[in-house]
């Protein structure tokens, strides 16, 4: 299942991008092939991962959560990684690669702000000029992350086009890259976009799954029965799933944002569940599952968490869903908020709203018998960034 | 009308082609197309608006948004094109998802039935265009490829060898949008592309002076988009101003 034709995952993936970006993608692909197994690159990345990011992240046996749901629940603590989320795994890898390629400038898009912060962190650390594109709507929802990025020396550029969220930030970042392709690396934040991005980001994120495999064997003497991860673009999901893909005894649950309901209006979906109900199409350089109208216009997506609020999904996840290797599910805004409170109260961990979708699915599925005995949940980020929006939401009750 | 016939006709008169882009559904499109043609536009590129147009600058993005807000969609687009009474090549410019969603066979058949003889897809790379190319051949439609200042070597050769109609030379790095000058990279690109197929230069062209310079540099045509769309977007004296701009630019190609 892993060794597909280069750049394609079954019918999904590929390179649907303006010609002006093709040489940059080819250059990136060649550089990645050149450096990914180079001992000097690996050594330097290991140094950053261990001493700067704080890896390996713990695999924590959540006793009270386990007791409540009658499963052995382990949380992969990506919330403890520097920056507060799994996003740094990818930005460290890509920024280092960009540096090896001789690029001086990083650009990135951000939704929740987590990827923007993770990019600003590596930009500052590695001495690269950094500009972050962010939808105005997301800037309002995530003011603290905007300030964080600015503190770290990055310039945050407000995106006012379209729905003013993640997909428009990606559009703007692509436009910037088209213009400045010679000295700039576009540090894409998820397993989306044209080849080679989905594969590069997956490889850098699969450190999560590789650690999980060793840790669960050490603690339980065996592999888990199921793994749950939230899925927007899908980088934390594929990151933890990837090493387990060939082991079909392990059920992999990709939990998408069910938002306010599974319906759509003429121009917008009330959810962000592209794996569950999206249709085959092309968005941001790849063929994948997307939320679209009957003519192929992209629908705006909706979620309580900015990080899952995206109309597409990584092409490899679309493929894995199609061949039924992963199980796409949803958790609604309401279920997610309940899980956000629950983990805070019974484990003393405030999860990111994104990660709370994965936790919500545990609550939904615990009695259905589909999770098995040992469950690993990817706790992809911490929730400090969400406090303001949760307060606002619940103040309006 | 096929694109090659138009270029042959222009060659006989030693004229360069004035190719005009407007987005369907932004303003009175049939009226606008007639104005462009009467003023001397040789080919009209009619945009089919897409919600996420990554290759466009702010001017055309705004035009696309107005068109979508006005309810333009693929069905209405083909119905409208079918009713246009003009004797020049009409091209559709759109993003790949709209073609993919309709089905490549149906989309190209709809083009043929409505009188469109060329397709430009800015987000479709050579790597992914094989299927659409076959459907275009079946329906006697030219698939126009774009080349840019960073398209070089073997890659440039293979794109040129697969091109028909004309080759779209993207004059500079960046998105669409009107500019004043002609980049050095434009002239280099015109020289680098060796082919018998006509070469048309687009992105950033808005004046007679630029048209003259590009024509002198060896191009067979120019593409003007944002400068026209700006006028349409202003809503002010649209017909007269479009007419004047097209005449002015075309005069630089004769």
């Amino acid at each position: 299942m892993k060794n597909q034709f280069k750049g394609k995952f079954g019918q999904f993936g590929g390179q649907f991008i303006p010609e002006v970006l093709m040489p940059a993608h080819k250059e990136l692909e060649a550089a990645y092939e050149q450096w990914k197994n180079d001992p000097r690159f690996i050594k330097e990345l290991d140094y950053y991962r261990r001493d700067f990011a704080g890896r390996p992240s713990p695999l924590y046996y959540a006793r009270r959560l386990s007791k409540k749901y009658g499963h052995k629940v382990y949380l992969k603590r990506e919330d403890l990684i520097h920056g507060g989320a799994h996003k740094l795994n990818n930005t460290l890898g890509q920024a280092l690669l960009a540096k090896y390629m001789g690029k001086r400038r990083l650009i990135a898009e951000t939704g929740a702000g987590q990827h923007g912060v993770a990019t600003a962190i590596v930009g500052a650390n590695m001495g690269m000029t950094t500009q972050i594109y962010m939808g105005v709507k997301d800037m309002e929802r995530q003011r603290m992350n905007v300030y964080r990025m600015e503190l770290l020396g990055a310039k945050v550029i407000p995106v006012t086009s379209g729905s003013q969220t993640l997909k428009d930030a990606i559009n703007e970042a692509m436009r910037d890259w088209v213009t400045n392709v010679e000295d700039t690396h576009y540090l894409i934040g998820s397993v989306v976009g044209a080849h080679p991005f989905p594969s590069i980001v997956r490889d850098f994120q699969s450190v999560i799954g590789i650690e999980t495999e060793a840790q669960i064997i050490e603690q339980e003497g065996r592999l888990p029965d199921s793994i749950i991860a939230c899925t927007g673009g899908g980088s934390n999901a594929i990151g933890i799933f990837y090493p387990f893909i060939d082991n079909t005894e392990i059920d992999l649950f990709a939990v998408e944002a069910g938002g306010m309901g599974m319906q759509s209006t003429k121009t917008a979906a009330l959810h962000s569940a592209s794996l569950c109900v999206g249709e085959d199409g092309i968005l941001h350089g790849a063929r994948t599952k997307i939320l679209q109208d009957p003519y192929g216009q992209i629908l705006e997506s909706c979620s309580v968490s900015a990080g899952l609020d995206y109309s597409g999904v990584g092409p490899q996840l679309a493929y894995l869903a199609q061949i039924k290797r992963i199980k796409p599910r949803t958790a609604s805004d309401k279920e997610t908020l309940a899980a956000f409170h629950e983990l805070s109260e019974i484990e003393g961990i405030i999860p990111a709203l994104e990660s709370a979708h994965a936790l919500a699915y545990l609550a939904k599925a615990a009695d259905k018998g589909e999770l098995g005995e040992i469950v690993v949940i990817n706790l992809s980020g911490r929730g400090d960034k969400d406090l303001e929006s949760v307060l606002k939401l619940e103040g309006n009750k | 009308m096929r694109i090659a016939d138009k270029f042959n006709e222009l060659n006989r008169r030693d004229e360069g082609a004035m190719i005009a882009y407007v987005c369907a559904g932004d303003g009175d499109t049939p009226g606008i197309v007639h104005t462009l043609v009467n003023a001397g536009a040789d080919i009209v590129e009619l945009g089919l608006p897409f919600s996420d147009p990554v290759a466009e600058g702010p001017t055309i993005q705004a035009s696309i948004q107005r068109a979508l807000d006005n309810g333009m969609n693929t069905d209405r687009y083909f119905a409208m094109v079918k009713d246009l009474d003009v004797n020049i090549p009409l091209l559709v410019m759109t993003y790949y998802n709209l073609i993919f969603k309709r089905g490549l066979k149906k989309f190209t058949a709809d083009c043929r039935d409505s009188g469109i003889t060329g397709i430009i897809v800015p987000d479709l790379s050579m790597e992914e265009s094989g299927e659409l190319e076959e459907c275009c051949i079946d329906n006697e439609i030219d698939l126009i490829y774009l080349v840019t200042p960073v398209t070089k070597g073997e890659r440039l050769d293979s794109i040129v060898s697969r091109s028909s109609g004309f080759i779209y030379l993207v004059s500079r790095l960046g998105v669409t949008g009107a500019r004043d000058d002609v980049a050095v990279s434009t002239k280099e690109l015109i020289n680098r592309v060796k082919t018998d197929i006509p070469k048309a230069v687009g992105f950033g062209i808005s004046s007679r002076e630029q048209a003259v310079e590009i024509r002198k540099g060896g191009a067979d045509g120019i593409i003007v988009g944002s400068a026209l769309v700006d006028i349409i977007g202003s809503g002010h004296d649209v017909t007269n101003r479009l007419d004047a701009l097209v005449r002015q630019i075309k005069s630089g190609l004769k």
Side-chain angles (χ1 to χ4, degrees), chain A residues 334-396:
Chain A
K334 206 175 144 198
E335 292 160 344
T336 297
L337 284 168
F340 175 85
H341 282 287
E342 181 180 78
L343 194 74
S344 304
E345 285 163 20
I346 74 173
E347 291 288 350
I349 300 171
I350 302 171
L353 282 176
E354 290 77 13
S355 323
H357 284 75
L359 296 161
Y361 191 69
L362 169 71
K364 277 176 87 166
D367 299 335
K368 287 199 222 157
E370 65 173 1
L371 298 178
E373 187 200 356
I374 302 176
V375 183
V376 174
I377 297 175
N378 195 6
L379 192 64
S380 55
R382 66 176 186 226
D384 309 48
K385 67 182 176 62
D386 295 312
L387 300 185
E388 196 182 314
S389 45
V390 171
L391 259 179
K392 212 166 157 189
L393 271 170
E394 299 186 337
N396 290 342

Side-chain angles (χ1 to χ4, degrees), chain B residues 205-252:
Chain B
I205 298 168
S206 61
S207 72
R208 180 180 192 277
E209 291 68 34
Q210 288 170 307
V212 170
E213 216 177 319
I214 289 169
R215 174 77 174 144
K216 232 190 271 170
D220 303 284
I222 56 155
I223 301 151
V224 181
S226 298
L228 302 171
V229 169
D230 258 334
I231 294 176
I232 296 168
S234 76
H236 164 66
D237 198 15
V238 172
T239 306
N240 288 330
R241 289 168 65 210
L242 284 179
D243 181 84
L245 183 62
V246 172
R247 280 179 203 281
Q248 187 199 50
I249 294 175
K250 176 70 192 181
S251 73

Side-chain angles (χ1 to χ4, degrees), chain A residues 8 14-20 22-23 26 161 167 171 175 178-179 279 281-282 287 292 295-298, chain B residues 49-54 56 61 68 73 75 96-98 100-101 122-123 125 127-128 146 150-151 155 174:
Chain A
K8 295 267 183 183
Q15 291 181 303
F16 297 87
I17 45 174
E19 174 57 28
V20 68
M22 282 304 303
K26 301 254 181 216
S161 55
K167 97 182 157 73
N171 292 342
R175 290 182 185 116
V178 165
T179 314
E279 291 170 359
I282 287 98
R287 182 166 167 187
Q292 54 184 326
Y295 294 103
Q297 306 292 353
I298 310 305
Chain B
F50 176 54
S51 54
D52 292 72
V54 291
E56 316 299 347
Q61 274 183 61
L68 289 171
N73 64 38
D75 291 332
Y96 194 53
N97 196 48
L98 298 192
F100 180 83
K101 184 73 178 158
D123 66 338
S125 65
E127 280 75 1
E128 306 286 355
L146 291 88
V150 291
T151 312
R155 180 167 187 87

Side-chain angles (χ1 to χ4, degrees), chain A residues 15 53 56 93 97 133 177 205 235 249 302-303 364 368 388:
Chain A
Q15 291 181 303
L97 184 60
Y133 288 90
W177 205 26
Q205 289 294 1
S235 71
E249 288 181 0
C302 172
S303 170
K364 277 176 87 166
K368 287 199 222 157
E388 196 182 314

